[in-house]
Amino acid sequence: MKIEQATIYGFGKWVDYTIDFTENQFTCVYGENESGKSTLQNFILFMLFGYPPKKRNYYRPKTSGKMGGRLRISDPQVGIYTIERLDEVQKGAARCFLADGTECDETWLQERLRGMTKDIYQSIYSFSALDLQAFEEMKDEDLGEVLLGIGLTGSNNIYLIEKNLDQKLDALFKPNGKRPVINEQLNVLDQLQAELVSMEQNEGTYIEKQQDITMLKAEISELRKMGVREKDRLLLIEKQQNNESIIQDYHHDINQQATYPTTIKFPENGRERLQTLKESRLPIQSKYDVLKANLDRIVAKQEEMEQQIIANDLYEEMQALIQQKNEYEENKKLQSQLEKELAKQVAQIEAELDDLHIGLTRDELSTVTLPFHIEKIWNELKNNTEQLLLESEQSKQEKMTWEKQRDFIIEQIEEVEAHLLSEERINELNDIVRANKQADYLKKESENAAKKQAEWEHIQQRREENSKTMLIASLVFAILCAGLASMFTMPFLYNIMALSIIAGVAQWFWGKRSIQTMKELLQEKPVDNPVHPHHEQDVQEAERLLTLHTESKNSQSSLKNQLKALEIQMIQWNEKRNVLEQRERRINQQIESQHQTFPFLEKIEVTYWPEFYYSLKQLLAVVQNKQQIEKQMNELMVELTQYETRVTNHLKKHHQEHTNESVAVQFQMIVDLVTTHDESMRMLAESKQEVLENKAEQNDLIESMSIYEAEINKLYATSEVKTEDEFYEVSKMFYEKRDLEEKIAEKKAQLQSTFSSTVFEELIRNKPDQHQLALEKDQTLEIMDKNEAEIELKRNRLAAVQAELENMESSETHSNTIHQLAMEKEELNKLVREWTVLKTAKEMLKETQRNYRNKHLTKVIHKTIKYFKVITGEAYTDLVAPTSDEPFRVVSAEQIWYDVDELSKGTIDQLYICLRLAISEIMSEKHKLPFIMDDAFVHFDSKRMERMIDILQDISKNQQVILFTSRQEIIDSLAASQVTYLSDRTYITEKERSTF
């Protein structure tokens, strides 16, 4: 992709301005400070990617009602197309016009840019001196990371996505965790499974009935398979009965085929071929007879033409004179034209001298000479004079604009300072806001404490009930043990009774104690010095006033910075004004020098000198052309006299009766004689050629007829016959046998499509007996009826067992547990799928990061090393990419390692630019976009500057490079065709713009 031309209707300071980039891949745009280089760069970005409304308003010109322009692009795939954006048309959306007039929209442009955005473009293909300043302010330990991150737009988003995925994965599952969702779900499933197993163990016959159901289902399945086999057998029998007629016809045709000979020799399409050969031979014979009659007529005509031939020596002499006739006529015409042209040149010289009114005569004009460099000198004087007038007027307008801006900013500063609050008022408002926040916090704490107290009371009540229940149970168990001990004389039961009582009392005592301890811990403490909140309207008013004060302070700081920038611009304006005055004196000296060399220039304004140069140069060319015409006319007179003498002498010698005619008539007589001779020679040659062609054609016809005879004999030989009747008899037998074979093949195909290959082979060998087929059909139907009855018995038994099993599973607790277990398993599967998706996404993200680094980083570092070695004159020979702990490191020619922060400011900037160039070149393998730089070589010395320019020249062979600069030494090192001066404006009119 290449930018061919930018046409600005209105953008910032540029109005009706055109800049062309067609001639070179590497273009340097030169302009002094405040000449609009950055604005022009922003215009290119606006045309490619568009700007939001606020930023478009910022660049709206103050001297024009239009904001926008056109950008002509050369694309290797679609050719030349033009992008147009206007702020007032479609809200600044792009309109693209192809070479054939087709109009496309913003979506088409984004497809051509392959998803490239303005931010990505600026991070890869564009940078300026401001980027170097920001780079200088970075900390040393961050320098390597900043260099690596340039151009890799989206890396921060990848980091945030990866962190978000880790948080979601940890929230779902941890191998040793308890709180994640999947871990909790696994615990729930373990509990439900244990409960279900316990319930199923209580059902003694549950498994046996399930086994019976499985066995019955298997038996029913086997019976169904048997039924399918018998059904297939029945279907085969019915197919044989239905296709009885086809089978009978097939065997009949096979028997009839045996009555014909095994092999009948007959050529393919023999009858048709014989008829065709006979019909083709007939017109050849007729044509042969016609040719013999034509030959006799041609020979008689040849004898008549041989009597009109001229002798060879006389013919050659006349032919030479005819060739000179054309030259003679051309020279006569040229003589007439030269006479008219000479009169026209003389009149033109007189008229142009009168129009110029500079006091020159024709004699003085012949002494005037214009050196080859004078046009360039006069053009430069005109351009410099016009540019000087334009810049002087522009300088006055800039001064008036800056003075108005300064007065306006001072008024705004005074207005903003009037709205600032005092320190006492700010402290008072801050106290109101803090008091309200503290009151809200205490209120929430009180509500949380009340909620916890209510929850604890509920837990306390449940614990007391459980403690009493356990105490009663232990006493009942002790009484039961005592009764059993007294009834069955078992003393050890008294020990168990005592232990039961002790355990019950102990758990009741410890329960009461723990409840009392929790009461003391949860006892609500009174709040010391409670805060009384202010009224809500007072708090909102305080926050509003504090916000307005902060905004006013920011506005005050911004306005002061603007005022300081305007003062700097005023100093720069004074410097530019001094430069303009010096240029004016220098131009006046050059004009006086030209007046001394060419006195007639004193009557002409400097701005008209280039136009006068072209008029004077054309006038001198007319004088020179007049002299050449006079010389040519003299030469023509000599040649014409020679022609007339040669023609007259020839006629006196051979045709004396025509010597008194004019030269034109004499020439025509010679032409007529030669024409008659040539026509006779041509007709004689054609006649001889016709004889040869006639004889050759007769021979061809004879040969063609012999070919047809040979083909007919071949047909007879193939059929082993000698006469045409015998040939047709063999033909009849051959076609009858072929029709019978086609019938057999057709019936065979029908049987193969109906029966399997095994059954088909059996039918071919043995013709089926229809009586035997009827018996087998009755037996098959009987077996199928018995099989269906047995299946019905098995189904009834299966239904009875399933009913019993359903009764066992009808318990509400068992079914609820099964249902809950299924629901929890489904929930677990859902969570596991979610965890799997997130885990896969994280692995794909890491793989993408590794692939990106492996694909691009090595290439970028390799290119950076290459450029850095060239720029530094191989003072540094190697470069190591940064790691998490180390920044960029470089190796000097002496094999000494340096961290990037140990280098000089200029060398760091050069390393930064090499990295940006390397990234741009690697990315350009996909996006062929122009590379734009704006005053990026502020810390380069002269030698490294020359090397940098050589690198850019090399890069521009594959990628367009546009360099904006204000440094004279850069443009001095480039060819004149590669430099565009912003001062050389090219304005376009409204009429010209409408033709784009």
Side-chain angles (χ1 to χ4, degrees):
M1 173 181 176
K2 179 183 177 184
I3 298 174
E4 298 279 349
Q5 188 182 75
T7 302
I8 306 175
Y9 302 158
F11 194 85
K13 68 179 292 181
W14 298 109
V15 177
D16 289 340
Y17 179 72
T18 297
I19 184 169
D20 191 83
F21 302 100
T22 307
E23 188 171 353
N24 294 285
Q25 280 285 101
F26 178 30
T27 304
C28 179
V29 181
Y30 175 79
E32 299 177 354
N33 294 331
E34 302 296 329
S35 62
K37 298 189 299 298
S38 299
T39 304
L40 185 57
Q41 185 177 354
N42 274 281
F43 173 76
I44 295 174
L45 296 176
F46 166 65
M47 296 306 297
L48 289 175
F49 306 105
Y51 276 168
K54 186 175 181 181
K55 197 162 187 179
R56 294 203 300 269
N57 289 333
Y58 178 79
Y59 285 106
R60 183 177 297 280
K62 294 181 173 55
T63 59
S64 175
K66 285 194 174 183
M67 188 274 179
R70 283 189 168 219
L71 197 67
R72 192 173 69 202
I73 303 294
S74 173
D75 192 300
Q77 296 180 355
V78 301
I80 302 294
Y81 64 93
T82 303
I83 305 170
E84 182 182 64
R85 289 185 190 269
L86 295 173
D87 179 55
E88 61 273 9
V89 178
Q90 298 181 0
K91 298 180 180 179
R95 298 170 62 204
C96 302
F97 300 92
L98 305 185
D100 59 359
T102 305
E103 181 176 346
C104 303
D105 56 7
E106 182 85 38
T107 304
W108 181 88
L109 177 59
Q110 294 304 318
E111 291 176 356
R112 299 309 316 150
L113 295 175
R114 298 185 180 179
M116 180 67 65
T117 64
K118 181 173 74 68
D119 293 336
I120 298 177
Y121 183 84
Q122 287 183 306
S123 65
I124 298 176
Y125 299 100
S126 173
F127 72 97
S128 64
L130 295 177
D131 295 326
L132 299 179
Q133 294 174 6
F135 185 68
E136 185 178 1
E137 296 171 1
M138 295 293 175
K139 296 180 181 179
D140 293 341
E141 59 270 18
D142 297 332
L143 198 54
E145 292 298 328
V146 171
L147 284 172
L148 183 60
I150 292 173
L152 305 182
T153 303
S155 60
N156 187 43
N157 292 334
I158 293 175
Y159 170 75
L160 294 177
I161 292 171
E162 184 177 8
K163 185 176 180 181
N164 188 22
L165 288 174
D166 288 335
Q167 292 175 352
K168 290 183 178 179
L169 287 171
D170 291 342
L172 286 174
F173 177 73
K174 287 183 179 179
N176 300 321
K178 295 182 179 180
R179 298 298 298 276
V181 180
I182 293 179
N183 295 82
E184 292 180 351
Q185 191 68 18
L186 289 172
N187 293 333
V188 172
L189 285 175
D190 291 340
Q191 294 176 3
L192 290 175
Q193 188 66 34
E195 293 177 5
L196 187 62
V197 170
S198 176
M199 292 177 186
E200 291 177 350
Q201 289 176 352
N202 295 330
E203 301 290 339
T205 61
Y206 183 81
I207 297 177
E208 294 179 1
K209 294 185 181 300
Q210 284 186 330
Q211 293 175 350
D212 290 342
I213 290 174
T214 303
M215 182 180 65
L216 287 171
K217 288 181 177 179
E219 292 175 354
I220 292 172
S221 176
E222 187 62 32
L223 289 172
R224 286 176 176 170
K225 291 179 181 178
M226 186 184 297
V228 171
R229 289 195 295 271
E230 293 300 326
K231 189 175 181 181
D232 292 341
R233 184 182 177 190
L234 177 63
L235 180 63
L236 176 60
I237 293 171
E238 291 177 347
K239 285 182 179 180
Q240 292 181 16
Q241 291 176 338
N242 295 333
N243 292 276
E244 178 186 2
S245 61
I246 299 176
I247 296 172
Q248 294 291 342
D249 292 343
Y250 177 79
H251 284 279
H252 176 268
D253 293 340
I254 289 293
N255 295 331
Q256 188 176 358
Q257 184 184 20
T259 62
Y260 287 92
T262 305
T263 303
I264 299 175
K265 295 183 178 181
F266 188 76
E268 185 178 359
N269 299 324
R271 287 185 299 189
E272 294 81 0
R273 289 165 60 187
L274 178 62
Q275 185 64 27
T276 301
L277 290 171
K278 291 168 64 178
E279 293 175 354
S280 300
R281 184 181 59 182
L282 182 60
I284 296 175
Q285 181 67 43
S286 300
K287 189 175 182 180
Y288 175 75
D289 296 338
V290 173
L291 288 174
K292 290 182 66 178
N294 290 339
L295 181 62
D296 297 337
R297 179 178 55 80
I298 294 171
V299 172
K301 188 177 180 181
Q302 284 181 355
E303 296 174 355
E304 296 177 2
M305 290 185 291
E306 288 176 351
Q307 300 175 2
Q308 299 178 357
I309 306 301
I310 302 175
N312 289 334
D313 54 349
L314 180 60
Y315 176 79
E316 291 176 356
E317 183 179 352
M318 295 170 69
Q319 194 72 22
L321 291 174
I322 291 174
Q323 292 178 355
Q324 295 176 0
K325 172 179 178 292
N326 294 331
E327 296 178 2
Y328 175 80
E329 292 176 350
E330 290 296 327
N331 287 338
K332 290 291 286 183
K333 292 179 182 179
L334 182 60
Q335 182 184 26
S336 177
Q337 292 176 358
L338 290 176
E339 290 174 352
K340 294 179 181 179
E341 185 66 21
L342 180 61
K344 183 179 177 182
Q345 297 292 333
V346 172
Q348 182 178 354
I349 293 171
E350 294 293 340
E352 290 187 3
L353 285 175
D354 293 339
D355 291 341
L356 290 177
H357 292 295
I358 56 174
L360 277 175
T361 63
R362 277 199 297 171
D363 296 334
E364 293 174 344
L365 184 63
S366 60
T367 62
V368 175
T369 57
L370 296 177
F372 71 93
H373 61 276
I374 198 67
E375 178 184 5
K376 180 178 179 181
I377 294 174
W378 290 1
N379 276 319
E380 288 178 352
L381 286 174
K382 173 195 172 182
N383 294 334
N384 291 338
T385 302
E386 292 178 346
Q387 183 66 26
L388 182 64
L389 293 174
L390 180 62
E391 291 182 3
S392 298
E393 184 62 27
Q394 210 174 39
S395 177
K396 294 178 183 178
Q397 293 294 332
E398 289 177 354
K399 183 178 180 182
M400 293 174 61
T401 301
W402 289 333
E403 288 175 350
K404 290 180 181 179
Q405 290 178 353
R406 182 188 60 189
D407 296 339
F408 177 72
I409 291 173
I410 291 173
E411 290 177 1
Q412 286 186 319
I413 291 173
E414 293 174 354
E415 183 179 350
V416 168
E417 289 177 348
H419 291 84
L420 294 177
L421 300 175
S422 63
E423 290 295 331
E424 294 80 4
R425 181 58 175 165
I426 293 172
N427 294 332
E428 179 183 348
L429 295 174
N430 285 328
D431 292 340
I432 293 174
V433 174
R434 282 196 298 271
N436 188 72
K437 290 181 179 179
Q438 186 176 1
D440 290 342
Y441 172 76
L442 293 175
K443 182 179 179 180
K444 290 180 181 178
E445 287 295 321
S446 178
E447 292 174 353
N448 291 335
K451 185 177 180 181
K452 290 180 180 178
Q453 184 66 28
E455 292 176 353
W456 165 245
E457 290 176 357
H458 178 69
I459 295 171
Q460 176 186 353
Q461 182 180 359
R462 189 173 60 188
R463 286 187 178 180
E464 289 178 351
E465 291 175 356
N466 292 338
S467 180
K468 290 178 182 179
T469 302
M470 291 296 295
L471 178 60
I472 294 171
S474 63
L475 292 176
V476 171
F477 182 72
I479 294 171
L480 181 62
C481 290
L484 292 174
S486 61
M487 288 175 63
F488 299 105
T489 315
M490 299 173 67
F492 71 91
L493 292 177
Y494 290 107
N495 295 331
I496 296 175
M497 176 190 70
L499 290 174
S500 177
I501 294 171
I502 293 170
V505 173
Q507 69 84 23
W508 177 81
F509 174 76
W510 286 110
K512 295 287 286 184
R513 186 174 180 181
S514 63
I515 290 171
Q516 185 62 31
T517 303
M518 289 301 297
K519 281 183 178 181
E520 294 174 357
L521 291 174
L522 295 175
Q523 187 67 32
E524 185 177 358
K525 297 180 181 180
V527 179
D528 297 332
N529 299 324
V531 178
H532 299 287
H534 292 271
H535 196 275
E536 185 177 357
Q537 294 181 352
D538 296 338
V539 176
Q540 292 178 354
E541 180 64 19
E543 291 177 346
R544 186 183 68 81
L545 292 174
L546 288 173
T547 302
L548 290 176
H549 175 77
T550 303
E551 292 176 353
S552 298
K553 288 290 289 182
N554 294 336
S555 298
Q556 182 188 29
S557 176
S558 176
L559 290 170
K560 287 183 177 179
N561 291 334
Q562 294 179 23
L563 184 60
K564 185 177 180 181
L566 286 175
E567 292 174 353
I568 294 173
Q569 291 179 358
M570 201 63 186
I571 295 173
Q572 294 175 348
W573 180 87
N574 290 327
E575 294 177 355
K576 288 174 63 176
R577 187 62 189 173
N578 294 332
V579 172
L580 288 175
E581 292 175 354
Q582 293 176 2
R583 287 173 57 191
E584 184 177 4
R585 289 192 295 270
R586 188 165 57 251
I587 290 171
N588 290 333
Q589 292 175 358
Q590 294 174 352
I591 292 173
E592 183 61 28
S593 175
Q594 292 300 313
H595 285 165
Q596 294 175 1
T597 306
F598 303 99
F600 51 82
L601 290 178
E602 295 179 0
K603 299 180 181 180
I604 305 172
E605 293 291 336
V606 176
T607 54
Y608 298 108
W609 284 8
E611 290 80 359
F612 174 73
Y613 169 81
Y614 291 118
S615 300
L616 184 60
K617 187 175 181 181
Q618 291 175 0
L619 187 57
L620 293 176
V622 172
V623 173
Q624 185 178 3
N625 191 24
K626 169 181 167 293
Q627 296 172 352
Q628 292 177 351
I629 290 172
E630 292 174 346
K631 180 180 178 182
Q632 191 174 0
M633 288 180 64
N634 294 331
E635 294 174 353
L636 279 175
M637 288 297 296
V638 175
E639 291 182 4
L640 290 172
T641 303
Q642 294 175 353
Y643 287 147
E644 293 171 357
T645 302
R646 284 196 291 269
V647 172
T648 302
N649 292 335
H650 174 79
L651 291 176
K652 285 181 179 180
K653 182 178 179 182
H654 300 287
H655 306 281
Q656 295 184 1
E657 68 275 11
H658 299 289
T659 56
N660 297 325
E661 302 290 342
S662 65
V663 175
V665 174
Q666 293 175 0
F667 267 124
Q668 187 60 43
M669 288 175 56
I670 297 172
V671 169
D672 293 340
L673 292 171
V674 170
T675 302
T676 302
H677 171 81
D678 291 343
E679 182 65 20
S680 299
M681 291 295 292
R682 182 187 65 78
M683 293 177 65
L684 182 61
E686 289 178 356
S687 177
K688 292 179 180 179
Q689 182 63 30
E690 286 181 8
V691 171
L692 295 176
E693 291 176 354
N694 187 292
K695 292 180 179 179
E697 193 169 356
Q698 288 185 32
N699 294 332
D700 292 340
L701 292 175
I702 293 171
E703 185 177 353
S704 297
M705 287 189 292
S706 64
I707 292 173
Y708 287 116
E709 293 292 338
E711 290 295 327
I712 292 173
N713 293 330
K714 284 182 182 180
L715 292 176
Y716 290 166
T718 303
S719 302
E720 298 180 350
V721 298
K722 295 183 179 180
T723 64
E724 184 176 350
D725 294 338
E726 293 176 349
F727 181 83
Y728 282 112
E729 185 177 352
V730 173
S731 169
K732 179 180 178 183
M733 185 185 300
F734 173 78
Y735 284 110
E736 287 177 352
K737 182 182 180 184
R738 190 179 66 177
D739 293 341
L740 185 61
E741 289 175 348
E742 290 177 355
K743 285 184 182 180
I744 294 172
E746 181 180 357
K747 291 181 174 61
K748 184 177 181 181
Q750 292 178 355
L751 294 175
Q752 284 179 334
S753 64
T754 305
F755 300 98
S756 63
S757 59
T758 304
V759 176
F760 173 75
E761 294 295 334
E762 180 62 26
L763 292 175
I764 294 300
R765 288 193 300 269
N766 300 311
K767 185 166 62 174
D769 186 355
Q770 293 299 319
H771 178 69
Q772 182 65 29
L773 288 175
L775 292 176
E776 290 179 358
K777 180 178 181 181
D778 294 338
Q779 292 175 359
T780 302
L781 290 172
E782 184 179 355
I783 292 172
M784 290 176 64
D785 293 338
K786 291 181 180 179
N787 189 59
E788 286 294 332
E790 190 171 356
I791 289 175
E792 186 64 26
L793 291 175
K794 297 287 185 181
R795 283 177 179 171
N796 293 335
R797 185 179 174 188
L798 176 62
V801 176
Q802 287 178 335
E804 294 175 2
L805 189 62
E806 289 177 358
N807 291 332
M808 295 175 65
E809 294 177 346
S810 62
S811 172
E812 184 177 354
T813 304
H814 185 266
S815 62
N816 289 341
T817 304
I818 293 175
H819 177 70
Q820 186 177 0
L821 180 62
M823 294 292 290
E824 296 297 339
K825 283 183 178 179
E826 181 62 28
E827 181 65 22
L828 178 62
N829 291 336
K830 180 180 178 182
L831 294 171
V832 169
R833 285 195 297 270
E834 183 180 353
W835 183 86
T836 304
V837 171
L838 293 174
K839 188 69 174 177
T840 304
K842 182 181 177 182
E843 293 301 324
M844 291 177 66
L845 186 61
K846 288 186 175 292
E847 182 65 21
T848 301
Q849 290 175 324
R850 287 192 294 270
N851 291 340
Y852 187 87
R853 181 180 180 87
N854 295 335
K855 180 179 179 181
H856 294 293
L857 183 58
T858 303
K859 294 181 180 178
V860 169
I861 295 301
H862 179 73
K863 290 284 185 183
T864 304
I865 294 171
K866 174 184 174 183
Y867 293 148
F868 195 52
K869 287 174 63 177
V870 173
I871 290 178
T872 60
E874 298 192 357
Y876 299 95
T877 59
D878 204 353
L879 176 70
V880 178
T883 62
S884 57
D885 301 325
E886 295 289 340
F888 265 107
R889 303 182 70 197
V890 296
V891 183
S892 67
E894 294 80 15
Q895 298 301 309
I896 301 175
W897 292 81
Y898 294 95
D899 289 346
V900 69
D901 57 324
E902 296 176 342
L903 304 176
S904 66
K905 173 59 182 173
T907 306
I908 293 174
D909 287 350
Q910 290 149 21
L911 175 59
Y912 172 80
I913 293 173
C914 290
L915 181 60
R916 291 298 296 270
L917 291 174
I919 292 173
S920 170
E921 187 170 355
I922 296 302
M923 294 303 176
S924 292
E925 295 174 1
K926 178 181 179 182
H927 301 278
K928 294 290 185 181
L929 296 174
F931 191 76
I932 301 176
M933 293 176 288
D934 187 3
D935 271 336
F937 311 135
V938 293
H939 295 106
F940 279 54
D941 56 28
S942 58
K943 291 183 178 179
R944 295 191 176 184
M945 176 67 70
E946 293 177 359
R947 297 166 185 162
M948 187 71 246
I949 295 300
D950 291 339
I951 290 175
L952 293 178
Q953 295 275 24
D954 186 61
I955 291 175
S956 66
K957 295 177 181 178
N958 299 314
Q959 179 184 7
Q960 185 182 18
V961 178
I962 301 175
L963 172 62
F964 292 89
T965 184
S966 60
R967 299 183 62 179
Q968 183 67 35
E969 58 269 24
I970 294 179
I971 64 172
D972 290 342
S973 62
L974 297 173
S977 61
Q978 292 180 301
V979 180
T980 299
Y981 297 90
L982 288 184
S983 57
D984 296 334
R985 296 194 175 187
T986 303
Y987 290 94
I988 60 175
T989 64
E990 197 70 30
K991 181 178 178 181
E992 291 171 340
R993 184 191 305 164
S994 64
T995 61
F996 288 148

